[in-house]
Amino acid sequence: MNASSAPRFAMTRPARHRRPWRTRTALAITAALAYIPAVAAPAHAFGPGTHTKITEGALPDFQAKSLEAMAAGDLGVNKEAWGAIRGSDRGDYYPNQTRYHCDDADYLAAGYLKGGQYPRTRQQATAELLACVQTAVEEFHAAVAAADKLVGSKGNINTKEVDLSSWCKYNDKPDGKEPDRAKCEVFEHLGRAWHGIEDFYSHSNWTDHANPNQPISVTNPPGLQKTAPAPFFTLRAYNNQSTATWEAEATKEMDKTPDLATGCAHDEYEHDDQKHHNDCTGRINHYDVNGKGGLSKEGSRADTGGNGKHAESVATDDIKRQWKDFQDELRAKYPHGRGEKMICALTHDAPTDATCK
Ligand SMILES: [Zn+2]
């Protein structure tokens, strides 16, 4: 993030109009740099380009234009177009929904508090995280379904459905979608599923170290120091189970790490009620008012113990797993070579029956 890439009008946007990886945080840092030159941005902080970097790192088998459609930030001169991985930070609806960003799963055990009770229970935090997993599972499911149109019943590529000569619109509405080319629809749903997963690593303490020089508190939550992707984002497995079954499994996994938390985001709606913003008083916050503290790796937490680097690396490993699992699901759901051809249609810029055997 640098000052020139920050839209000037963004400073006066309503708080709920969130930007990628919380550009508002980056803007606050940018503002601080502008007025107080001594304040430096964290060296490994997540910025708006981090979704792009993670997604590109996880998809080495994509050709250039397909990769751009999936992973890019702003696409070239067209500021109304963006890669699918950015879709959930755009528009009026998705940016405010906790479950698309794995936020508000905050909790701190009583043992860390100097008396008193944390404003939320462990069960509430787990329920918020389950909602984020469920959202990703639903988007995974929709992506598998949308792939059906890429390849006809006789195994022929539907040329119109894979055409990338104009930008994908990525404009599905929560109350019904606006159909685009099948390739764009697959990317849109994968983008929404994967965005939340990438956010989880930036917004949670999964890979973190806490600051060793301060006591554990709401401003210095414990770090779980994990080096592998979270076991409760097994979207492919969950997609093939009943909701009750996978929720029980995911809860069991989450219960293994009772200190697991993401931050309360004050510009999102409480439990998706579309009316009330979260009251984050006394809670682990996504970021503080200055955009410097908080649990998110967009602020100074990124610099503690290499937190920013670790989160990015494990997020990349997870998206590699997600892409592999998605391909496996296409092969299983669409047998006799159709699934394999769909994968070719997704990764190749101008796929044809001749180039995708
Ligand atoms: Zn997000």
Side-chain angles (χ1 to χ4, degrees), residues 130-131 134 238 241-252 254:
L130 285 174
Q134 173 158 25
Y238 292 173
Q241 292 171 335
S242 72
T243 305
T245 302
W246 76 251
E247 277 192 351
E249 215 172 272
T251 303
K252 213 168 98 192
M254 290 173 193

Side-chain angles (χ1 to χ4, degrees), residues 119-343:
R120 309 262 288 177
T121 63
R122 177 67 252 169
Q123 287 71 22
Q124 281 176 304
T126 298
E128 294 285 0
L129 209 46
L130 285 174
C132 186
V133 176
Q134 173 158 25
T135 301
V137 172
E138 287 167 0
E139 296 290 347
F140 175 96
H141 186 87
V144 173
D148 195 16
K149 277 197 194 162
L150 293 169
V151 176
S153 56
K154 293 189 181 116
N156 53 302
I157 287 182
N158 288 329
T159 316
K160 252 171 54 187
E161 299 290 344
V162 299
D163 176 43
L164 286 184
S165 60
S166 62
W167 305 119
C168 291
K169 287 180 280 189
Y170 302 140
N171 58 353
D172 280 0
K173 304 288 188 294
D175 52 352
K177 59 185 200 154
E178 292 184 30
D180 201 344
R181 289 143 285 173
K183 182 161 174 169
C184 299
E185 289 295 329
V186 174
F187 282 0
E188 178 159 14
H189 291 300
L190 285 182
R192 295 201 194 286
W194 295 355
H195 178 98
I197 293 173
E198 293 179 10
D199 272 359
F200 170 79
Y201 296 99
S202 171
H203 300 182
S204 78
N205 59 351
W206 184 257
T207 59
D208 280 8
H209 292 249
N211 185 339
N213 303 317
Q214 286 172 15
I216 297 296
S217 69
V218 290
T219 55
N220 185 36
L224 301 180
Q225 303 180 24
K226 298 284 187 185
T227 55
F232 45 79
F233 281 116
T234 46
L235 307 188
R236 184 184 178 213
Y238 292 173
N239 181 51
N240 291 309
Q241 292 171 335
S242 72
T243 305
T245 302
W246 76 251
E247 277 192 351
E249 215 172 272
T251 303
K252 213 168 98 192
E253 290 296 339
M254 290 173 193
D255 284 349
K256 290 178 185 169
T257 49
D259 285 342
L260 176 60
T262 70
C264 176
H266 55 74
D267 54 353
E268 290 175 358
Y269 289 121
E270 197 171 88
H271 308 300
D272 299 342
D273 73 350
Q274 306 297 316
K275 284 197 258 333
H276 306 97
H277 284 169
N278 288 310
D279 178 3
C280 298
T281 314
R283 297 167 61 177
I284 295 169
N285 276 217
H286 177 85
Y287 48 51
D288 66 15
V289 285
N290 299 315
K292 282 183 280 186
L295 180 53
S296 171
K297 259 62 73 191
E298 288 147 291
S300 55
R301 178 96 172 173
D303 274 350
T304 300
N307 285 343
K309 258 192 339 232
H310 293 147
E312 190 178 306
S313 153
V314 177
T316 307
D317 287 346
D318 203 341
I319 301 307
K320 282 180 187 166
R321 159 178 78 162
Q322 298 302 335
W323 171 234
K324 184 189 173 299
D325 283 359
F326 181 70
Q327 293 177 80
D328 287 346
E329 183 65 11
L330 290 183
R331 291 186 188 105
K333 175 101 196 278
Y334 304 109
H336 312 303
R338 265 187 91 218
E340 201 62 52
K341 210 157 182 181
M342 288 170 187
I343 294 163

Side-chain angles (χ1 to χ4, degrees), residues 18 21 51 88-89 100-101 195 199 203:
R18 188 176 45 186
W21 287 98
H51 280 296
S88 292
D89 280 337
Y100 282 92
H101 312 276
H195 178 98
D199 272 359
H203 300 182

